[in-house]
Amino acid sequence: MSLPGAQLGESIARFFTALTKSVVESGNAVASGQAELVVEKPEGFRLAIDEV
């Protein structure tokens, strides 16, 4: 979830940058024998679960 008042285009770009980084790091972890999913929240975002 993007924070209120954030620029939509910039927020989407940051989200997809973070998603790409997470996928690459998770792939590297699997390739090195570590079963680890790497997920980092993009700056300026909050997790939907934080709202529950």
Side-chain angles (χ1 to χ4, degrees):
M1 294 178 61
S2 182
L3 296 175
Q7 295 294 322
L8 182 59
E10 184 179 322
S11 296
I12 291 170
R14 280 196 310 239
F15 171 79
F16 279 104
T17 297
L19 177 63
T20 301
K21 181 179 176 187
S22 177
V23 169
V24 169
E25 289 179 3
S26 295
N28 288 338
V30 169
S32 68
Q34 301 173 5
E36 180 181 352
L37 178 61
V38 179
V39 179
E40 290 186 27
K41 176 173 49 173
E43 182 181 326
F45 276 69
R46 63 178 180 252
L47 298 176
I49 192 72
D50 294 342
E51 297 299 311
V52 175

